[in-house]
Amino acid sequence: MSEKTVARIMKELGLRSRTVKKYKATTNSKHNLPVQENVLNREFNPSAPNKAWVADITYIPTDEGWLYLASIMDLYSRKIVGFHMDERMTKELVLTALDRAHSQQRPCEEVLHHSDRGSQYASHDYQARLRTYKMKGSMSRKGNCYDNACIESFHSVLKKELVYLEKFKTRKQAKKRIFEYITCFYNGKRIHSAIGYSTPNECERMYRSAA
């Protein structure tokens, strides 16, 4: 339907669109660690699952302080295949998310792993783990958020649909609600236009059934 129709219906129902809050940067790209080329180059539609993963970190406010979330998305299904939360934004945060993604998906072939140039992803330990898992590294160009748009879009959706609607008193409470949102709702129930209006889990299942 047209924008005017949507605006009219919203006015009649007393609905207003939610305002996006101010962006807080979580990336520290001012380091001397080696960085990867932008191999992904905004090719966000791979031909199969476990061909290309994208990774990023975001922050969640609680009354106890910040909670940091590291997520990894499979670009084929838009499924969040691995994530981890902690009160500190360290390389261990992203390493645990990567380990969980690899353990859950068990990719048989090389995966292209794309992230920003943050020190956590550029760390020697993280790059070594990518080599252990036989993954090819790729990083966004300096200061270009669009190179990692899909995972950043997920974090934006998470905040608009969950975080901005609730006030978390503790990090434990936030972890529980975010876990439920990702595993039960986002992967299992939320449809996506980019994957034919199916859910990430359905998209992955349909591919494997066809294969």
Side-chain angles (χ1 to χ4, degrees):
M1 62 180 71
S2 70
E3 289 183 25
K4 288 184 178 180
T5 303
V6 173
R8 177 179 56 79
I9 294 172
M10 288 180 67
K11 185 177 181 179
E12 291 172 355
L13 298 176
L15 299 175
R16 292 186 302 169
S17 59
R18 188 170 301 118
T19 303
V20 178
K21 297 190 178 181
K22 186 178 180 180
Y23 174 75
K24 172 181 166 62
T26 55
T27 299
N28 174 23
S29 57
K30 295 179 180 179
H31 54 72
N32 296 319
L33 296 164
V35 296
Q36 305 284 349
E37 295 293 324
N38 181 21
V39 181
L40 182 64
N41 197 28
R42 302 190 192 178
E43 294 293 332
F44 297 141
N45 296 292
S47 59
N50 300 325
K51 292 287 187 181
W53 292 355
V54 288
D56 194 24
I57 305 171
T58 194
Y59 64 97
I60 313 297
T62 77
D63 288 348
E64 292 182 335
W66 296 116
L67 175 69
Y68 294 96
L69 166 68
S71 309
I72 298 179
M73 172 188 284
D74 185 306
L75 282 177
Y76 178 83
S77 64
R78 298 300 199 265
K79 179 180 178 181
I80 302 303
V81 293
F83 64 95
H84 183 58
M85 291 169 275
D86 198 3
E87 62 186 68
R88 298 177 61 214
M89 191 171 58
T90 62
K91 64 183 177 183
E92 285 74 25
L93 175 75
V94 295
L95 280 167
T96 303
L98 178 62
D99 289 340
R100 289 179 176 176
H102 186 268
S103 177
Q104 175 174 290
Q105 296 298 106
R106 296 290 180 185
C108 299
E109 300 178 358
E110 182 184 75
V111 178
L112 179 61
H113 175 287
H114 184 85
S115 69
D116 60 29
R117 295 185 172 202
S119 58
Q120 297 87 356
Y121 295 112
S123 69
H124 296 300
D125 288 345
Y126 197 87
Q127 292 301 311
R129 194 68 55 88
L130 291 180
R131 291 191 293 271
T132 298
Y133 290 148
K134 296 180 173 58
M135 296 183 181
K136 183 178 181 63
S138 171
M139 289 184 174
S140 301
R141 289 164 293 183
K142 189 173 182 179
N144 198 321
C145 61
Y146 297 107
D147 288 344
N148 210 12
C150 293
I151 189 67
E152 292 197 14
S153 175
F154 160 69
H155 284 156
S156 176
V157 166
L158 167 70
K159 291 183 178 181
K160 286 185 284 188
E161 294 184 351
L162 175 67
V163 176
Y164 295 159
L165 300 182
E166 300 189 19
K167 183 174 177 61
F168 301 119
K169 293 184 178 180
T170 65
R171 292 188 178 97
K172 183 179 180 180
Q173 180 191 13
K175 285 181 179 180
K176 180 177 183 296
R177 294 291 290 118
I178 292 168
F179 177 87
E180 291 170 348
Y181 176 89
I182 293 176
T183 58
C184 300
F185 178 69
Y186 189 87
N187 283 343
K189 296 181 180 180
R190 193 182 192 282
I191 61 174
H192 298 259
S193 60
I195 51 175
Y197 294 97
S198 62
T199 70
N201 286 344
E202 286 173 344
C203 181
E204 189 176 65
R205 281 197 299 267
M206 286 188 290
Y207 176 86
R208 300 196 186 287
S209 296

